[in-house]
Amino acid sequence: GYIVIFDCNTCPYSQRYNDRIIALSDKFAAKGFPVIAINPNDPSKSGGDSFDEMAKLAKRKNYAFPYLVDETQSVATAFGATNTPHVFVLDKALKVQYIGAIDDNARNAKAVSKRYVEDAVNALLSGKPVPVTKVKAIGCGIKWKNA
């Protein structure tokens, strides 16, 4: 499967979740659930989200996963992404099994009590149903081209 995360450089929520996204990649890529990060923001509305700035962040943080640009915003639209970060966990048949937040504490990683993405991936790896399939994604609204 895949852990698809619509993310960006500039949103304070994305910045707080950055290390947790790296940890998801570290934990699950080798188990067959790699992270794919996609930046849907229009860089003309959010200059810190330009491709050059994305490349700098990925290099500085040593991303071991792809950090892609959704130039036309068609991928974010097809998924129904609304903010950053917004996670979609897909099973091996590419069916979405979980949509929403990474965990239950956007502000403090140490205070997390529910790890929605980890729980979803672990359930799929065990052949069990995903315990929570949808949670409101907390973050910044996507910077749409025609909004």
Side-chain angles (χ1 to χ4, degrees):
Y2 297 93
I3 302 168
V4 177
I5 304 175
F6 291 90
D7 199 22
C8 71
N9 292 8
T10 56
C11 173
Y13 291 94
S14 290
Q15 292 166 354
R16 283 188 205 109
Y17 270 115
N18 195 259
D19 289 338
R20 287 179 259 182
I21 292 169
I22 292 167
L24 286 170
S25 174
D26 291 346
K27 184 170 189 173
F28 292 115
K31 295 179 181 179
F33 274 87
V35 165
I36 300 170
I38 303 171
N39 188 332
N41 282 348
D42 177 357
S44 73
K45 293 187 176 175
S46 181
D49 286 317
S50 70
F51 180 77
D52 287 342
E53 291 301 317
M54 289 172 58
K56 287 178 191 173
L57 176 66
K59 185 175 183 178
R60 188 171 70 248
K61 295 292 243 173
N62 294 313
Y63 281 4
F65 53 87
Y67 187 23
L68 310 172
V69 177
D70 183 7
E71 285 183 7
T72 64
Q73 299 181 315
S74 60
V75 178
T77 300
F79 270 86
T82 56
N83 33 332
T84 57
H86 201 165
V87 183
F88 296 78
V89 175
L90 285 65
D91 64 18
K92 63 184 173 188
L94 304 182
K95 183 177 179 213
V96 176
Q97 296 292 330
Y98 171 78
I99 300 172
I102 291 170
D103 56 40
D104 69 346
N105 198 320
R107 296 204 181 270
N108 184 353
K110 290 180 174 36
V112 169
S113 62
K114 293 185 174 119
R115 291 174 168 76
Y116 304 118
V117 173
E118 284 190 38
D119 292 347
V121 174
N122 283 327
L124 292 169
L125 286 168
S126 301
K128 297 177 181 169
V130 172
V132 176
T133 58
K134 191 167 190 177
V135 173
K136 180 175 174 48
I138 304 297
C140 302
I142 290 174
K143 310 303 182 263
W144 299 104
K145 290 181 186 229
N146 299 319

